[in-house]
Amino acid sequence: MVKSRKQVSLILCLALTTTIFTGCGKKGSDTSDSNSSADYDHIFREEEFELSEEVNSESLYSMTGYGDYVVSYGSAYNETDDTSNYVIIRFKNDGSDVKQIEINGMPESGEGSVYISDVKCDAEGNVYVLKDEYSYSEDSDGYDIYYLDKYDTDGELEYEAVVSENGANESFSGIFYMEGKGILAYGDGIVSLFSDSDGSFVNKFDTGLDYFQEVIPKDDKLYIYYWEEEGYKFKEFSLTDGKMGGDVSFPGSMSNYISCYPGTVTDLLLLASTGIYTYNFGDSDVTYSCSYIDSDINPDNVSGAVQVSDTEYIILVMNEENTEYEFKKIVKVPAEEAKSQEVITLGCYWMDYNIRSAIIDFNKTNPKYRISVKDYSMYDTDTDYSAGVTKLNTDIVGGNVPDIIIASTEMPMESYISKGLFMDLDPIIEADSEFVMDDYLTNVIDSFRRDGKLYSLVPGFSVYTVAAATSDLGGKTSWTINDMKQIADSKGIAYKDLFGPGYARDSVMTMAIYLNASSYIDWDKHECKFDSEEFKEFLAFLKEFPSEIDNSVYSLDYSDYWRKDKALAELMYMSSFSEYQTSLRGTFGEDVTLIGLPTDGASGSAIIPNNELCISASTSKEEGCWEFIKSLFTEDFQKKVAEYSGFPVKKSVFEDLADEAMKPSTWVNEDGEEETYTQTTYIGGKDIEVTPLTQEERDYVVGFIESLSAHVVYDEEILNIVTEEAAAYFNDQKTVDDVVSIIQSRISIYVNENS
C-alpha cells in the first residue's frame, strides 16, 4: 500500500510546529538547581591515551567494562570475501593487554547470517559473546540458534555453547557476567544462567514480564528496567528464590537517557545527550558527572563510556574527519583550574547538532568565555512530558534567567519581552562594525522585531506556505477564504479535500492559528480582533473539515489529485528549494504560485525559525553572549545551516543555495568520479523527473522568500483557547457569534496580562 507524499509532508509540518524548538528523541541534562550561576564541577579534559596495539576501530557500537578491563564491539568489512564481519576489542583501562577478536558474519553453511547481540568481559579479561545465528535452506524455513561463546585471555575461542536450540521459542537480547554465579542471559521475560567455565545450563527464571528494556545485576538481585502503561519502571527480581519484588524508585525519567549500563564504580552508568551521569540504587538523585559541551566533546559523536574512577572515564568517540572510532581518556578538571574562563549559561529545551557544534568550537577557541548548557528537557517525566519546559518558564519568571535563551514553543515570548526580560540587540549590532546587517536577509531578521525593537536573532529558517496552480488563480498572489471556495466550486472540489484527503479539522486549525494568530493580535496596543467577520468566516471554513480521518485514507495513493483537479492547494513546508521544485515538477506539473493560506490583508505565509536566540537583559556578560551569537552568522556556520537545517540568513550563502537549485544533482561513483543525475518523484504510479529550476523559477522563489515579513507564532495558550471554545460551535452547541465573543474575551485578558 502507498502512503501519499502529501500526508507525509503534513505529518512533518505538524511535527515541526510543535517540536522545532522542543526537541525529539532521547535526552538528558544538567540537574543543578541554578542555571544562571557558573558551574565548574562537570568539566573534563582529554589526556593522552593510546592502546598498546593497533586495532580495527572503523565501526564500533558501544563499550562496557568490568574490573580493569574494557570491551567494545562493532562491524568490520572484509574486502577479501566482501562480507561484513564483527570485531571485538578488549583492553585494560590503561591501554595495555589489547586483544582483537574477529567473528564471521556468515554461518558455516553460508546460508543465513550471524548477529552479535551482546559482548561482556570479566575481571581476568575473558570475553563472552551472545551470538544469534540465523540459518535457512531450500528444504526448511529459517531458524535461530543462540550461542554463548567464550574467548580466553589470549583472545582464543575456549568454547561455543548452545543456549537456545532451534524450536525452543526463546530469544535473548543481552548477557552479563556475574562473578561467582556465571553468565546471565536475558530476553522476552526470561532470565537464564549459564556456567562461565563451560557454558552449561545452570538455571532458568520466568519473570512474568513480556519484555525487558534492560537488566542490571547486583549481588543476588536483578534490577529489571521495563515499560508499563504509566512509564518506564525498575523492578527487583531475586535470583535466590526466583521471585519478583516491588517497584524500585528512580529519580526522574529513564527515557531522558540514551544508554544505561551497569557501572564499574557505581550501580548505573547513564549516558545522556548532554553528558555522563551515575547512580546507586537507593540514592535520592542521579549524580551529574561529566558535561560533554563543557568538556569540549561533541555528544553526537559519543557511543560509549566506562568509568575508571570518580574523576576518570574512557569514552568511545567517532572522529569527525575519518568517521572511525577512537578510545579517549578524560579526567576531571579541578574547579579552581576550570575558573580561568567566565561561564555563560545557555538555557534551552532542545538543541540541534549545529548549535552544539558551534558551542564546542566557541569554547575551544575563546580564551575569555565558555558556554555552559542547561537543557531543561531532562526534567520531563514519563507522566509529565512538559515538566522541563514548565521549570524553564518558572526559572525565567522567577528571575533565574540564563545568559542566553534558545526559545521554545511553550515559552510566552511576547510576555517575556513586554516584561523586559530580554535585551534589545539593536544597540549591540550597531556598535559592532563587523556585523553588517545588509549582509543578511533583513526581512527575516526584521520579522522578529517587537515594537520596533530586535529582541532575538535567528541564524536559519524554514517557510510555511500554500502552493496552488498559477492557472487556477487568475493572477492572484493572495486570496481570501471566499476566493478559495469559489475556485473550488468551479472545479467541483469538496472543501474538505481542498488540500487533499487526510486533513482533520484540528490539524488545519493548528497550522492556521500558528500562522495567522499574529494577524488578529496587536501586542503593542494590547488589542485583538477574534470577534471579526474574518475570524467567523475562518471558523465556518474549518467546520467543513472532518473531526477525524478514516485510517483507510492513509492507504491511498493520492499523489496525483492535484493534477486531476481532485485537490486545489498544497500545504507546503519549505526547508530548501527542493520542496518548490517537487511541487512544480511533480505535484502540479505546471507553474505554481506560493500564495499562502487565505487571509484578509496578511501574507498567509510565514517564516519558521530553526533556532531563536535571546540575551538576558540582566546578564553581566553581554560581550561574551554577543560573541557567541555572532559566531552563528559567520559564513562557515551559515553553510552548515544550508547543508543541514534549512535556509541560511546570510545573503551570499542563500544566493549560492538558490544557484545550486539550477544545477543537476551529482554523486561520486565508485571510481571517485562525479556524475550527474536527475531526481525523480512518485506521482500517480509513475516516476516523474524533477529537473533543475530555470533562472526565472529560481528568481521567483527567491523573491517570494525575501518578501516574507511575518514569522510563525507558537503560543500554546492562544491555540488552546481557540480549540476549547470553537469545539462548541463545531458540535452545534453554540453559534459562531457566541463562540467568537468568548474567544475574544479570553484572549483579550491573556494579551493584557502578558503585554
Side-chain angles (χ1 to χ4, degrees):
M1 306 301 282
V2 179
K3 179 181 284 189
S4 168
R5 181 178 62 81
K6 302 302 161 194
Q7 188 60 32
V8 174
S9 177
L10 170 64
I11 293 170
L12 171 63
C13 184
L14 288 175
L16 283 163
T17 58
T18 56
T19 67
I20 195 162
F21 296 130
T22 58
C24 57
K26 302 289 186 181
K27 47 197 184 281
S29 299
D30 181 0
T31 58
S32 60
D33 292 329
S34 174
N35 46 285
S36 62
S37 60
D39 183 3
Y40 300 97
D41 200 38
H42 308 116
I43 300 175
F44 282 65
R45 66 177 167 221
E46 183 182 346
E47 277 200 351
E48 184 176 346
F49 180 77
E50 287 187 8
L51 298 183
S52 59
E53 295 180 28
E54 188 175 340
V55 295
N56 180 358
S57 59
E58 180 180 343
S59 180
L60 298 174
Y61 306 149
S62 64
M63 63 190 296
T64 58
Y66 194 94
D68 294 333
Y69 279 93
V70 175
V71 64
S72 178
Y73 75 100
S75 58
Y77 178 69
N78 189 326
E79 294 184 357
T80 304
D81 56 9
D82 194 31
T83 60
S84 181
N85 298 327
Y86 291 91
V87 60
I88 299 170
I89 300 168
R90 185 227 64 190
F91 56 91
K92 277 192 171 181
N93 56 35
D94 62 1
S96 65
D97 197 11
V98 178
K99 291 291 181 291
Q100 180 166 298
I101 302 165
E102 290 197 19
I103 297 177
N104 199 319
M106 294 287 291
E108 291 184 4
S109 66
E111 301 293 339
S113 60
V114 171
Y115 177 71
I116 302 301
S117 301
D118 201 3
V119 177
K120 292 294 192 295
C121 64
D122 61 24
E124 282 71 46
N126 298 297
V127 174
Y128 304 88
V129 180
L130 177 62
K131 184 172 65 177
D132 175 7
E133 186 172 298
Y134 174 76
S135 300
Y136 64 88
S137 67
E138 295 181 357
D139 302 326
S140 65
D141 295 331
Y143 57 91
D144 293 275
I145 298 179
Y146 287 86
Y147 295 92
L148 175 62
D149 293 354
K150 178 180 180 180
Y151 292 84
D152 63 21
T153 56
D154 293 323
E156 300 295 329
L157 181 65
E158 185 172 316
Y159 64 72
E160 179 179 73
V162 175
V163 298
S164 179
E165 301 260 12
N166 175 31
N169 198 29
E170 292 179 344
S171 65
F172 294 94
S173 56
I175 56 172
F176 285 109
Y177 170 75
M178 299 186 69
E179 188 171 357
K181 295 182 176 61
I183 304 298
L184 185 79
Y186 63 91
D188 291 348
I190 301 296
V191 176
S192 296
L193 194 62
F194 301 90
S195 167
D196 56 300
S197 61
D198 60 10
S200 59
F201 174 78
V202 176
N203 207 345
K204 178 180 178 179
F205 304 95
D206 186 346
T207 66
L209 300 174
D210 293 329
Y211 175 75
F212 305 143
Q213 187 76 16
E214 188 63 87
V215 174
I216 307 296
K218 183 181 180 182
D219 301 327
D220 291 322
K221 300 175 183 176
L222 302 178
Y223 291 91
I224 299 175
Y225 171 45
Y226 72 105
W227 172 263
E228 273 192 346
E229 289 184 3
E230 61 268 32
Y232 288 104
K233 283 187 174 183
F234 275 106
K235 274 190 178 294
E236 185 180 283
F237 184 83
S238 172
L239 289 175
T240 302
D241 56 17
K243 293 183 179 180
M244 185 72 76
D247 291 344
V248 178
S249 63
F250 179 83
S253 171
M254 278 294 295
S255 60
N256 287 335
Y257 304 97
I258 298 170
S259 303
C260 168
Y261 302 108
T264 51
V265 178
T266 57
D267 290 343
L268 294 182
L269 182 69
L270 303 164
L271 303 188
S273 64
T274 54
I276 303 173
Y277 298 74
T278 62
Y279 181 69
N280 286 310
F281 287 107
D283 287 354
S284 61
D285 205 352
V286 296
T287 297
Y288 182 37
S289 179
C290 170
S291 164
Y292 290 143
I293 289 180
D294 288 347
S295 306
D296 300 334
I297 300 168
N298 190 329
D300 295 294
N301 297 334
V302 178
S303 293
V306 170
Q307 188 176 21
V308 178
S309 69
D310 289 338
T311 59
E312 186 177 358
Y313 291 92
I314 294 173
I315 60 175
L316 177 63
V317 184
M318 185 187 74
N319 185 311
E320 291 184 346
E321 294 183 1
N322 59 19
T323 68
E324 293 190 3
Y325 286 82
E326 302 171 339
F327 298 102
K328 294 186 176 183
K329 178 182 286 187
I330 57 173
V331 297
K332 188 172 182 179
V333 178
E336 290 304 314
E337 183 180 337
K339 291 179 181 179
S340 59
Q341 289 175 295
E342 292 185 56
V343 171
I344 295 170
T345 57
L346 185 149
C348 62
Y349 188 65
W350 171 73
M351 181 177 292
D352 69 17
Y353 174 85
N354 285 338
I355 297 292
R356 280 199 298 270
S357 296
I359 291 173
I360 292 168
D361 290 342
F362 181 86
N363 288 348
K364 286 181 177 179
T365 58
N366 194 289
K368 185 176 180 180
Y369 297 103
R370 167 174 290 275
I371 305 289
S372 180
V373 175
K374 182 168 185 176
D375 183 346
Y376 281 78
S377 61
M378 74 80 52
Y379 292 103
D380 289 349
T381 69
D382 295 324
T383 56
D384 186 357
Y385 294 112
S386 63
V389 79
T390 299
K391 179 167 176 55
L392 171 59
N393 284 319
T394 300
D395 279 355
I396 291 174
V397 172
N400 196 16
V401 187
D403 298 304
I404 299 174
I405 284 283
I406 299 179
S408 164
T409 59
E410 293 88 351
M411 287 173 56
M413 291 294 291
E414 304 297 338
S415 174
Y416 291 162
I417 289 168
S418 68
K419 290 178 168 61
L421 296 180
F422 300 138
M423 186 176 293
D424 179 8
L425 302 178
D426 280 323
I428 303 175
I429 293 173
E430 291 168 4
D432 190 337
S433 59
E434 295 179 353
F435 192 94
V436 180
M437 189 69 82
D438 287 342
D439 290 344
Y440 303 93
L441 297 175
T442 52
N443 67 300
V444 176
I445 292 175
D446 288 343
S447 73
F448 289 88
R449 291 188 178 277
R450 280 91 164 180
D451 196 18
K453 295 181 179 181
L454 188 64
Y455 294 99
S456 62
L457 278 173
V458 294
F461 67 100
S462 300
V463 172
Y464 185 67
T465 188
V466 172
T470 303
S471 60
D472 288 336
L473 299 176
K476 294 181 184 295
T477 56
S478 64
W479 55 0
T480 64
I481 289 175
N482 280 335
D483 291 333
M484 179 182 275
K485 286 182 174 180
Q486 287 175 9
I487 298 171
D489 290 342
S490 70
K491 298 172 79 68
I493 300 173
Y495 297 157
K496 66 181 180 64
D497 294 330
L498 280 168
F499 306 118
Y503 287 81
R505 181 187 301 138
D506 286 348
S507 300
V508 178
M509 180 163 64
T510 297
M511 289 183 286
I513 292 296
Y514 281 153
L515 191 63
N516 287 334
S518 58
S519 67
Y520 295 100
I521 301 174
D522 188 328
W523 289 93
D524 299 336
K525 294 181 180 179
H526 307 208
E527 296 174 353
C528 58
K529 52 177 183 178
F530 286 91
D531 55 356
S532 65
E533 291 302 315
E534 179 188 353
F535 191 71
K536 293 177 188 177
E537 192 176 53
F538 165 67
L539 292 182
F541 173 66
L542 287 176
K543 197 172 183 179
E544 299 286 345
F545 290 85
S547 58
E548 295 181 355
I549 297 298
D550 188 331
N551 287 336
S552 64
V553 169
Y554 302 131
S555 65
L556 298 175
D557 174 17
Y558 47 87
S559 58
D560 60 355
Y561 274 31
W562 289 259
R563 292 184 173 219
K564 292 181 175 180
D565 286 341
K566 293 183 178 181
L568 177 63
E570 177 187 22
L571 294 168
M572 185 186 294
Y573 170 80
M574 291 176 59
S575 59
S576 68
F577 290 96
S578 65
E579 288 87 8
Y580 172 70
Q581 279 179 264
T582 303
S583 184
L584 190 68
R585 307 281 187 250
T587 304
F588 294 94
E590 60 177 293
D591 288 345
V592 302
T593 296
L594 302 176
I595 195 169
L597 281 173
T599 61
D600 284 331
S603 70
S605 304
I607 294 160
I608 301 173
N610 290 1
N611 288 286
E612 183 179 1
L613 294 98
C614 312
I615 298 178
S616 168
S618 61
T619 184
S620 61
K621 299 155 189 171
E622 174 186 322
E623 176 191 43
C625 293
W626 174 242
E627 282 186 32
F628 170 69
I629 290 179
K630 186 173 71 170
S631 72
L632 307 182
F633 293 82
T634 62
E635 185 161 345
D636 285 345
F637 186 83
Q638 287 290 296
K639 286 180 178 178
K640 291 180 181 179
V641 171
E643 184 176 0
Y644 297 112
S645 56
F647 293 112
V649 294
K650 193 172 181 66
K651 284 181 181 178
S652 59
V653 182
F654 176 73
E655 292 284 341
D656 288 345
L657 199 63
D659 290 342
E660 286 296 316
M662 295 193 296
K663 300 176 183 178
S665 301
T666 62
W667 72 295
V668 177
N669 64 26
E670 58 186 11
D671 297 323
E673 299 170 340
E674 186 175 82
E675 296 183 6
T676 62
Y677 69 97
T678 300
Q679 296 187 38
T680 61
T681 186
Y682 186 80
I683 302 292
K686 298 179 181 179
D687 285 326
I688 304 297
E689 289 190 347
V690 181
T691 56
L693 297 180
T694 65
Q695 183 72 50
E696 183 180 2
E697 292 163 348
R698 178 256 191 220
D699 292 345
Y700 167 73
V701 71
V702 166
F704 165 76
I705 292 173
E706 291 180 342
S707 73
L708 299 175
S709 59
H711 70 271
V712 170
V713 176
Y714 299 99
D715 195 313
E716 295 298 314
E717 184 61 25
I718 291 174
L719 176 62
N720 290 339
I721 291 172
V722 174
T723 302
E724 291 168 10
E725 301 302 338
Y729 167 62
F730 297 144
N731 296 328
D732 296 320
Q733 296 169 334
K734 292 181 181 179
T735 67
V736 69
D737 289 322
D738 291 338
V739 165
V740 297
S741 177
I742 298 171
I743 292 173
Q744 172 71 7
S745 176
R746 288 186 62 184
I747 295 182
S748 293
I749 294 171
Y750 172 72
V751 169
N752 278 280
E753 287 179 346
N754 292 278
S755 296

